[in-house]
Amino acid sequence: MTRPGTMNAMSSQMQDCVEACMSCHSMCEETMSSCMQMGGQAQMQIMRALLDCSETTRMCADMMMRRSPMATEMCAMCAKACDMCAEACMSMPDDPQMTRCAESCRRCAEMCRTMAGATM
């Protein structure tokens, strides 16, 4: 049971996490588009990581907004997808779009870990 006064802080924290997820989702979508324009340079591993992260962050945000009882588990999975995507993006450290995407993924992963109750 939640103590009085705790719900507002949690709602604020949850809203911050939703915003981080949506921002990361958008960044992954933009980065996928950038990768497609690169053609042969974009590796399939990076594209898979971007797609997984994009879909996971969108679903995670949706689940938190509707207060799904599975949102905590989804946040943990989302953090993992974001970490994997950040790592994949950093395989092309000279690409500014990839660097921005990795930063967005790291921020989202941190927020999702907090929501999931993980300590890292």
Side-chain angles (χ1 to χ4, degrees):
M1 192 96 196
T2 315
R3 292 186 323 244
T6 321
M7 191 59 133
N8 289 340
M10 185 56 116
S11 293
S12 173
Q13 186 179 34
M14 188 180 295
Q15 183 60 39
D16 289 347
C17 191
V18 166
E19 289 172 12
C21 283
M22 294 310 295
S23 176
C24 188
H25 168 73
S26 295
M27 182 59 70
C28 286
E29 291 289 321
E30 290 173 28
T31 305
M32 277 191 281
S33 178
S34 176
C35 280
M36 285 189 260
Q37 291 174 2
M38 281 185 229
Q41 293 179 15
Q43 299 171 354
M44 288 305 297
Q45 180 182 352
I46 296 172
M47 290 295 287
R48 280 191 200 102
L50 286 164
L51 185 57
D52 286 351
C53 189
S54 173
E55 290 299 313
T56 305
T57 52
R58 183 194 50 77
M59 185 183 298
C60 188
D62 289 349
M63 291 176 85
M64 283 186 286
M65 286 188 284
R66 69 174 174 261
R67 300 198 192 304
S68 168
M70 297 185 333
T72 301
E73 290 88 350
M74 190 66 213
C75 283
M77 182 182 287
C78 188
K80 184 175 181 178
C82 288
D83 285 338
M84 290 174 70
C85 190
E87 187 176 320
C89 286
M90 288 315 298
S91 70
M92 295 179 73
D94 296 333
D95 186 299
Q97 180 68 35
M98 292 290 187
T99 302
R100 284 191 301 274
C101 189
E103 290 167 1
S104 180
C105 290
R106 286 188 193 112
R107 274 192 306 275
C108 188
E110 184 179 325
M111 299 291 293
C112 284
R113 268 193 289 280
T114 299
M115 287 303 297
T119 55
M120 289 192 149

